[in-house]
Amino acid sequence: DQAKKDDAKAASSGGKQITMGFSQIGAESEWRTAHTESIKSAAKAAGINLQFSDAQQKQENQIKAIRSFIAQGVDIIAFVPIVETGWDTVLKEAKDAKIPVIVVDRDVKLSDESLYIAKIGTDSVAEGKKVFNWIDEYMKKENKQPRSGDKFNIVVLEGTVGSSVAIGRANGFKEAMAAAPDAAKYTILASQTGEFTRQKGQEVMESFLKSDRDKIDILFAHNDDMALGAIQAIEAAGLKPGKDITIISIDSVKGMFQAMIDGKANCTVECNPLQGDILMETAKKILNKEEVPKNVYVEEGIFPADVAAKTLPERKY
Ligand code: AHR
């Protein structure tokens, strides 16, 4: 459409097309695939030449990619930090080369905040809080009782170790739990990384079930893919996912909506991967020397099973 054509023109105005170096972390989940697709299609629509690099889940590959973007002299660098720390040196190199940097999706911890211009992404602490608050309301509304003992036993499948999203979601969840009037009704029985993948989620859930099959009341998975893997483990153990064990996760990908429609999961808190358009807009503004906000959060909802069938046809990822 016309707006997109205008954008494309703007990106190549001044005689030179904008080149963006983008370091993605990999393809670990359905969410990540949607994120990559959003970045690639937005770059195309905006007329930005995207140098896309896939780090295959390794920070060292991301650092190499960023160094190679600097060596090529790209106009702007954007990257998804797989983990929070360890970026100071390479971002200082980008700053010295006068190449602006945008942090995408996850957060970084730096000694000097001026090493990046803007961060576009999601609020993982808020997501973790939404998860606990939804659980607390649901358990009351459904008049659920612990399967054994007098507390609800929660197991957690965590995301990538050291990633801001795994840290933020875990902290947000625990903060909301500590602040709840009936905090004493809940306990975290086990918490382990499933690396944001379906396969690992299934394996770790199998091991949780081996030790505590008849105690687990609630599963909180840091992403939908791990919840989907865990559902298979729960069924293989002869239990009913979504009934014997209440299941909630984060992302809101189509696969999780289908699991809710099938009665095998209970809720998904949205983490919005559609960050491409806002990234390209922000890049253009930065290169035009316009002011941009340091932090931009994309909008996120929450989808329990009872709205799944109605909502699935509208989902974009
Ligand atoms: O950083 C966002 C997280 O990474 C998503 O929740 C997860 O699915 C992805 O792999």
Side-chain angles (χ1 to χ4, degrees), residues 154-168:
I154 304 168
V155 294
V156 183
L157 290 169
E158 301 163 23
T160 302
V161 176
S163 66
S164 68
V165 274
I167 297 166

Side-chain angles (χ1 to χ4, degrees), residues 200-216:
K200 238 340 197 34
Q202 180 173 352
E203 282 168 28
V204 177
M205 191 68 204
E206 273 163 13
S207 82
F208 287 163
L209 288 161
K210 228 176 235 165
S211 26
D212 292 310
R213 183 190 178 279
D214 300 321
K215 286 194 197 153
I216 302 169

Side-chain angles (χ1 to χ4, degrees), residues 28-29 31-32 105-106 165 169 196 222-223 251 271:
E28 71 283 1
S29 60
W31 188 98
R32 186 64 54 199
D105 168 23
R106 299 183 181 176
V165 274
R169 288 170 187 176
F196 279 136
H222 283 189
N223 82 346
D251 276 358
C271 175

Side-chain angles (χ1 to χ4, degrees), residues 24-33 35 57 80-82 104-107 122 124 127 159-160 163-166 169 195-197 221-226 250-253 269-273 275:
Q24 179 59 286
I25 60 177
E28 71 283 1
S29 60
E30 209 177 312
W31 188 98
R32 186 64 54 199
T33 306
H35 188 246
Q57 309 299 321
V80 177
I82 182 153
V104 185
D105 168 23
R106 299 183 181 176
D107 291 298
T122 60
S124 48
E127 290 163 356
T160 302
S163 66
S164 68
V165 274
R169 288 170 187 176
E195 293 167 6
F196 279 136
T197 69
H222 283 189
N223 82 346
D224 289 346
D225 278 70
M226 293 189 292
I250 296 175
D251 276 358
S252 306
V253 295
V269 166
E270 189 176 33
C271 175
N272 187 348
Q275 300 169 2

